Amino acid sequence: MWESLATVRKYLWRYRWGMAAGTGCLVLKDLAQAVQPLMIGRAVDALAGAHNSLFVRFAAWLVGLALIKGLFQYGMRVIIIGISRDIEYDLRNDLFAHLVTLAPEYYGRTRTGDVMARATNDLNAVRMMLGPGVMYCAETSLTFALAVAVMVSVDWRLAFYALLPAPLVSLAVILFGRQIHTRFEAIQAMFSDISSRVQENLSGVRMIRAFVQEKAELRRFEELNQEFIAHNLKLVRIQGVFQPLLEVLIGFTFLVVLWVGGHDVVQGRISIGSFIMFNTYMGMLVWPMIALGWVVNLMQRGSASLDRINQILRETPTIAPPPAPVSLREARGEIEFRGVVMEYGSGRALDGVDLRIPAGATIAVVGHTGSGKSTLVSLAPRLFDPTAGAVLLDGIDLRRADPAEVRRLIGFVPQETFLFSATLAENIAFGVEHATEEQVRRAAEIAGLAGDIEGFPQGYQTMVGERGITLSGGQKQRAAIARAILRDPRILILDDALSSVDTLTEERILTHLAGVMRGRTVILISHRVSTVRQADRIVVLEKGRIVEQGTHAELVEAGGYYADLCQKQMLEEELEAI
């Protein structure tokens, strides 16, 4: 547990002065509480001896101590619980900042629902451990120590009987604590499974309806829910044994102390006031012993959740800036792929690719599905690093540059368009701070989207829904193109960015893009000859290798894959025209 706490120690140190103030309030509150039974004992003895004035004085002390205790108890809770909220805030921000640095391959092997569960449910358990858990652990420990010290000073024999269950309590805490930790880890894992299932079902709700799988998915969700309940019941059962066990031990101790202490009062060994004071301290020990079970529960839950959060924090970003990054402020935009090899778990996507793209040139990449086109262009903004070889920008290996600076130079339209649940204007202006309304409109016009937007009831302020669900595939692609154009990038990458638009819209967009592309380095990926025929050079990929390259005319004359593709599409156009 101490190793897992290394994550939160820096936050505790950050708020050390607040924790010190909260601890000070805790100590003063416990001291005031520890003195109260002494005043009660003396007040009873004064009343028994008919010393009325002395009784009134001790009663006044009791009222004062109660006010002091209440004041410092309030301060203790506000400060320490408040700090736990601050730590939760800081940890959540740091966790999110770490998540956005992780490479796409991490999210390829990690479910979104699992990440969400750790960022919400687990973080709350950590907060409970650092707030109420730490506070009550310190409070009960100090209360126990003060009460025992006074009890021993009053009558060591009675104190011995009062502390008889302590070894049994310690043993129960150790045994039950381990079980609570293990079972809560299983609960959190099940919660992640449920979160992932819900997230996938909501994201794919149209597919579920299309295949009439609503009942099947409800059945699977119910099975997961039943399993989640079963895991929770296992934890509840062990907690249900733990708490009563402590109370039984405490009740038995009270019975022994009352028997032995009552006998001592009858024999005159201790006064009635001392006996009442002793029993009041016994009452003070009830809360620490009962709270001990709750505190152990909180600490074990928090520890289990912190372990799960640490699993994310231990993930190291595979794409990270070097210690002394090379500046790219004056980049011209020349890109070179030198002996690039890219391997995934499923096999080799690129195999020894050598390709130089001059600054300001337009290069098109074509090839069969799975030939490595998207992998190739994903290396330019350094979304991945090649397994072997290097990608250079103006002769500088991208691994020597800051990834953020590289990406600021690039306008990237990926194959799978992603729009945020925001307005169209906000989606187009994503990544460009303080973009003006005129700039957004101009980018939309170039992308061929302005006409569609004018037909929307709220225009550019239209909410597009999660993942752009309210837009057609072509509209989403054009919004992504507008987003890339607005960045005014030095390098523009269009990964099959016109696949969802018709040929007339494609021609109109390409006409608008001609002015934008002039003077920029452009990489086009497309399955349409009409999209790539005007490129300065066309590269044909096959099984991760460059098998052809040249101009449109040169490749048509060569009679390879590109010529076949061109001929097929011409026949399709002729058939459509009939």
Side-chain angles (χ1 to χ4, degrees), residues 480-498:
I481 292 170
R483 176 193 291 169
I485 292 168
L486 187 60
R487 289 174 65 86
D488 191 24
R490 191 72 198 84
I491 301 165
L492 182 62
I493 299 174
L494 304 175
D495 185 1
D496 214 7
L498 301 173

Side-chain angles (χ1 to χ4, degrees), residues 67-235:
L67 291 173
I68 293 170
K69 176 193 168 186
L71 178 65
F72 285 116
Q73 188 170 32
Y74 173 79
M76 170 191 77
R77 290 179 175 174
V78 167
I79 294 171
I80 296 178
I81 301 298
I83 287 173
S84 73
R85 291 285 184 183
D86 292 333
I87 292 175
E88 179 190 24
Y89 172 83
D90 292 344
L91 183 55
R92 180 174 281 113
N93 283 338
D94 290 347
L95 180 62
F96 181 76
H98 180 73
L99 284 168
V100 298
T101 66
L102 298 178
E105 59 89 16
Y106 171 76
Y107 296 99
R109 57 182 167 83
T110 307
R111 296 172 303 175
T112 303
D114 186 29
V115 176
M116 293 298 296
R118 297 180 193 222
T120 52
N121 217 35
D122 284 307
L123 263 177
N124 184 60
V126 172
R127 176 189 62 79
M128 289 295 290
M129 176 182 71
L130 296 176
V134 168
M135 181 180 73
Y136 287 115
C137 182
E139 183 195 18
T140 54
S141 298
L142 183 58
T143 299
F144 190 85
L146 290 171
V148 168
V150 178
M151 287 163 69
V152 169
S153 67
V154 171
D155 191 319
W156 68 267
R157 285 191 322 111
L158 275 179
F160 170 76
Y161 289 117
L163 297 175
L164 272 178
L168 294 174
V169 169
S170 300
L171 183 62
V173 166
I174 293 169
L175 295 177
F176 283 87
R178 288 174 183 168
Q179 290 294 317
I180 290 170
H181 183 98
T182 303
R183 296 186 185 191
F184 189 71
E185 273 190 331
I187 287 171
Q188 294 299 80
M190 277 302 306
F191 184 78
S192 293
D193 290 341
I194 289 175
S195 299
S196 296
R197 195 76 193 182
V198 170
Q199 185 268 329
E200 288 172 1
N201 278 312
L202 294 179
S203 297
V205 66
R206 288 191 291 182
M207 186 64 66
I208 291 170
R209 288 175 180 169
F211 283 82
V212 197
Q213 289 298 298
E214 294 94 334
K215 290 184 178 179
E217 289 302 320
L218 281 170
R219 187 169 60 253
R220 292 189 187 100
F221 181 77
E222 186 177 352
E223 289 170 0
L224 279 175
N225 223 359
Q226 288 292 343
E227 195 173 346
F228 183 63
I229 291 171
H231 279 83
N232 272 283
L233 286 174
K234 286 180 181 179
L235 181 61

Side-chain angles (χ1 to χ4, degrees), residues 336-370:
E336 182 180 358
F337 299 89
R338 187 179 293 173
V340 168
V341 175
M342 188 69 193
E343 292 182 347
Y344 297 115
S346 56
R348 182 168 288 194
L350 297 175
D351 189 7
V353 172
D354 288 298
L355 176 64
R356 180 178 170 275
I357 305 173
T362 298
I363 298 295
V365 184
V366 297
H368 291 293
T369 301

Side-chain angles (χ1 to χ4, degrees), residues 276-302:
I276 291 174
M277 176 187 68
F278 200 93
N279 276 277
T280 307
Y281 277 116
M282 280 288 298
M284 284 176 57
L285 289 180
V286 171
W287 163 243
M289 287 189 178
I290 292 175
L292 185 62
W294 184 60
V295 168
V296 168
N297 189 15
L298 286 182
M299 300 302 271
Q300 293 298 338
R301 283 171 178 250

Side-chain angles (χ1 to χ4, degrees), residues 338-404:
R338 187 179 293 173
V340 168
V341 175
M342 188 69 193
E343 292 182 347
Y344 297 115
S346 56
R348 182 168 288 194
L350 297 175
D351 189 7
V353 172
D354 288 298
L355 176 64
R356 180 178 170 275
I357 305 173
T362 298
I363 298 295
V365 184
V366 297
H368 291 293
T369 301
S371 59
K373 303 184 298 297
S374 295
T375 298
L376 183 71
V377 296
S378 294
L379 295 172
R382 210 185 165 198
L383 299 180
F384 301 96
D385 277 337
T387 309
V391 182
L392 291 81
L393 178 60
D394 293 340
I396 299 169
D397 191 329
L398 290 183
R399 284 171 289 208
R400 295 174 55 204
D402 186 340

Side-chain angles (χ1 to χ4, degrees), residues 272-577:
I272 186 68
S274 296
F275 180 62
I276 291 174
M277 176 187 68
F278 200 93
N279 276 277
T280 307
Y281 277 116
M282 280 288 298
M284 284 176 57
L285 289 180
V286 171
W287 163 243
M289 287 189 178
I290 292 175
L292 185 62
W294 184 60
V295 168
V296 168
N297 189 15
L298 286 182
M299 300 302 271
Q300 293 298 338
R301 283 171 178 250
S303 174
S305 291
L306 190 56
D307 286 339
R308 284 164 50 81
I309 292 171
N310 283 337
Q311 288 173 8
I312 295 178
L313 295 176
R314 279 194 292 267
E315 291 283 342
T316 55
T318 55
I319 309 296
V326 177
S327 175
L328 297 172
R329 290 181 183 176
E330 304 300 325
R332 295 178 296 108
E334 179 185 276
I335 302 172
E336 182 180 358
F337 299 89
R338 187 179 293 173
V340 168
V341 175
M342 188 69 193
E343 292 182 347
Y344 297 115
S346 56
R348 182 168 288 194
L350 297 175
D351 189 7
V353 172
D354 288 298
L355 176 64
R356 180 178 170 275
I357 305 173
T362 298
I363 298 295
V365 184
V366 297
H368 291 293
T369 301
S371 59
K373 303 184 298 297
S374 295
T375 298
L376 183 71
V377 296
S378 294
L379 295 172
R382 210 185 165 198
L383 299 180
F384 301 96
D385 277 337
T387 309
V391 182
L392 291 81
L393 178 60
D394 293 340
I396 299 169
D397 191 329
L398 290 183
R399 284 171 289 208
R400 295 174 55 204
D402 186 340
E405 190 174 5
V406 173
R407 291 163 191 164
R408 274 192 286 268
L409 298 170
I410 298 174
F412 186 42
V413 183
Q415 193 172 24
E416 294 183 6
T417 304
F418 186 92
L419 296 182
F420 295 91
S421 183
T423 65
L424 268 168
E426 289 170 330
N427 270 288
I428 293 171
F430 181 73
V432 180
E433 292 185 16
H434 313 299
T436 64
E437 186 177 335
E438 181 58 35
Q439 289 173 322
V440 171
R441 289 180 183 275
R442 176 62 182 155
E445 286 173 6
I446 294 171
L449 187 63
D452 294 46
I453 295 176
E454 288 171 5
F456 296 156
Q458 294 178 314
Y460 285 87
Q461 298 307 310
T462 301
M463 294 292 294
V464 299
E466 189 175 1
R467 294 176 178 265
I469 195 170
T470 57
L471 302 181
S472 68
Q475 288 170 336
K476 285 193 282 188
Q477 281 195 330
R478 283 176 280 163
I481 292 170
R483 176 193 291 169
I485 292 168
L486 187 60
R487 289 174 65 86
D488 191 24
R490 191 72 198 84
I491 301 165
L492 182 62
I493 299 174
L494 304 175
D495 185 1
D496 214 7
L498 301 173
S499 60
S500 296
V501 299
D502 58 74
T503 52
L504 290 175
T505 304
E506 176 194 37
E507 187 176 342
R508 188 168 64 249
I509 293 171
L510 288 173
T511 302
H512 288 309
L513 282 175
V516 175
M517 291 160 63
R518 193 175 297 116
R520 304 177 197 272
T521 304
V522 180
I523 305 176
L524 282 169
I525 291 180
S526 180
H527 293 283
R528 288 180 181 172
V529 172
S530 55
T531 304
V532 304
R533 65 189 307 158
Q534 300 300 325
D536 298 322
R537 186 153 45 112
I538 299 168
V539 175
V540 180
L541 276 179
E542 186 69 30
K543 295 182 179 179
R545 288 178 172 273
I546 296 176
V547 293
E548 296 179 72
Q549 58 179 311
T551 63
H552 170 75
E554 290 170 349
L555 292 178
V556 169
E557 189 177 343
Y561 169 82
Y562 184 79
D564 290 343
L565 178 67
C566 187
Q567 187 176 9
K568 287 177 183 177
Q569 291 190 7
M570 286 176 65
L571 286 171
E572 287 173 3
E573 289 174 8
E574 289 175 6
L575 288 170
E576 287 176 2

